[in-house]
Amino acid sequence: MSFERSYAIGRWAGPRPELDGRVFAPEGEPFCARPYAAIDQYVWDEGGYCPEARAYVARTDEGLLVLMCAREREIIARETRVGGAVCRDSCLEFFLCARPSEGDLYLNVEVNAAGVAHFGLGTGRHARRVFEAVPEGVRISHSRHEGEWWAICYNLPDALLADCFGGAAEPQMRGNFYTCDETIHPHFGSWNPVRAPQPDFHRPECFGRICLED
C-alpha cells in the first residue's frame, strides 16, 4: 500500500480537554466533534491486534492542541522517566516536521498511558536531541483507563515550535501519528502508511500532509 494522507488543522476556541482523573470517550467530548486522523495502518501486523486509535489536533491562540486516544482493554505504563523508553508501554506518538521547506527536521512527541513523555528532535532515528524535561507550556494530561478508551492531551506552543525549528510553523507541514506497545500486546499502527520492512516510525519520507487552515 502506498499513498499519502492529508489532515487539516482548524481553529478551536473552546476549553482545553482536561483528562486527569476521569474516564474518556470521544463520543460526547466537545473537542472530539472535529475531524480526526485515524491511526489505522497496521502494515506490520502479524498477530491481529489492531486497536482503534485517533489523533485530534487544533490551532489555539497558544499553538497546537493535541488529543490522542486508543481503545484497548488492557494497557501498560511502566516508564516514569521523561525521555525514557515510553514506546515500550501503551503509547501514542506525534511526529511533526513543522518547516518541511527547510528539510526533514522533525519533533517526536511520545506519551504513554500514564502521561510520561519522550521528546526528541532531529532528522532521523540517530543523533537526536532528547529533552531532559517536558518543555514549558506543554501541560500533559491523561485519562483514567477502565477497559475501553484511554487518552492523552497536550499543547505544542508556538514558542516551542519556533525554538525547535528556527521559525514559525509553515501552513503546509508534514508528520505522522502512531500507536504502539512493545510489551503486553505488541503492535505498531500509523496514520500514514510507513514503507519499511520492519517497524520503524522514524521515516520522515513517509510522513503525510498536515495543513494549517486559515
Side-chain angles (χ1 to χ4, degrees):
M1 183 182 298
S2 178
F3 61 92
E4 183 177 74
R5 284 177 157 173
S6 180
Y7 180 64
I9 297 177
R11 292 203 65 88
W12 172 252
R16 181 184 189 272
E18 298 299 339
L19 305 178
D20 289 339
R22 68 182 182 90
V23 175
F24 171 86
E27 296 78 14
E29 185 75 40
F31 186 72
C32 296
R34 63 193 310 103
Y36 62 85
I39 304 171
D40 57 6
Q41 300 298 301
Y42 288 90
V43 298
W44 303 290
D45 175 56
E46 295 181 351
Y49 188 81
C50 304
E52 181 180 0
R54 305 174 181 179
Y56 300 84
V57 186
R59 298 179 69 185
T60 70
D61 291 340
E62 299 176 6
L64 299 181
L65 175 58
V66 181
L67 186 151
M68 299 182 68
C69 58
R71 192 173 189 174
E72 302 186 81
R73 183 173 297 278
E74 184 181 14
I75 61 175
I76 191 168
R78 292 178 176 171
E79 183 61 79
T80 60
R81 301 166 299 158
V82 175
V86 297
C87 62
R88 295 175 184 167
D89 293 339
S90 302
C91 190
L92 291 163
E93 308 184 3
F94 180 22
F95 285 32
L96 178 67
C97 176
R99 295 179 65 85
S101 69
E102 298 182 0
D104 285 337
L105 182 69
Y106 63 92
L107 178 71
N108 59 301
V109 183
E110 309 172 11
V111 185
N112 72 7
V116 179
H118 178 112
F119 285 76
L121 186 69
T123 58
R125 173 177 292 279
H126 304 291
R128 300 189 67 73
R129 169 195 169 194
V130 176
F131 291 55
E132 296 181 353
V134 175
E136 183 177 355
V138 171
R139 297 166 53 206
I140 299 171
S141 65
H142 68 282
S143 68
R144 190 169 82 250
H145 182 252
E146 294 187 354
E148 287 288 334
W149 291 94
W150 65 277
I152 50 98
C153 183
Y154 54 86
N155 295 78
L156 292 179
D158 287 335
L160 171 62
L161 296 180
D163 181 64
C164 288
F165 293 96
E170 296 175 348
Q172 303 294 320
M173 303 184 294
R174 297 185 65 80
N176 215 339
F177 304 100
Y178 307 104
T179 178
C180 65
D181 165 17
E182 298 181 11
T183 307
I184 53 174
H185 298 296
H187 65 282
F188 305 90
S190 66
W191 162 63
N192 205 60
V194 179
R195 298 177 294 277
Q198 60 189 13
D200 184 0
F201 290 169
H202 290 271
R203 293 277 185 154
E205 71 274 18
C206 297
F207 287 176
R209 294 187 298 270
I210 299 178
C211 311
L212 296 175
E213 293 184 332
D214 293 333

